[in-house]
Every structure is written in structure tokens, then in C-alpha cells.
Amino acid sequence: MNIKSIFSKIFKGEQGEADVLEAIGKILNQKGDENYYLIPKATSSSREIDLLLLHPALGIYVIEV
């Protein structure tokens, strides 16, 4: 299943964020990682985070596109 198709309603035309989401997912899946969370449009207080990656070995990444 294509990650972009899953989140297509969330991104609403923000192609760059969708491309980054798909690329990160492909990289992690090629390495055999399945134990991670990649969260689009996360919110923290009044701020919106484009992508949030939670990974047990890599840690927490806040990704702004």
C-alpha cells in the first residue's frame, strides 16, 4: 500500500510533505525497520509539526518541510 494514498486527505495538496513522508517510510522499510511511528501533521500546543518520527533506536525527529 502506498503511504501517500493513506494520508492524501491529510496533506491536501502539500506534495512536498507527502514526498518526504513516502521517502522516509521507504528508507526505514528497506532497512527492515518496522518498529517506528511516522506521524503527519502532529500538533504541539499551538504549533503544527509537518512530520514526527518516533523510532526506538534513532529517537525523536521533528521534520519541517
Side-chain angles (χ1 to χ4, degrees):
M1 183 173 283
N2 187 348
I3 292 176
K4 264 199 266 187
S5 66
I6 295 171
F7 296 112
S8 63
K9 293 181 182 176
I10 295 173
F11 284 108
K12 296 183 183 174
E14 296 174 8
Q15 188 63 38
E17 292 177 15
D19 290 342
V20 171
L21 173 74
E22 184 175 24
I24 292 171
K26 281 183 183 178
I27 290 168
L28 291 173
N29 289 334
Q30 284 176 353
K31 291 183 174 186
D33 281 335
E34 294 182 3
N35 191 21
Y36 67 89
Y37 291 100
L38 191 54
I39 305 166
K41 299 292 185 189
T43 56
S44 172
S45 303
S46 62
R47 301 181 81 35
E48 182 179 87
I49 300 168
D50 291 341
L51 297 169
L52 181 64
L53 173 63
L54 306 173
H55 191 281
L58 299 174
I60 299 172
Y61 282 84
V62 174
I63 303 163
E64 290 294 327
V65 178

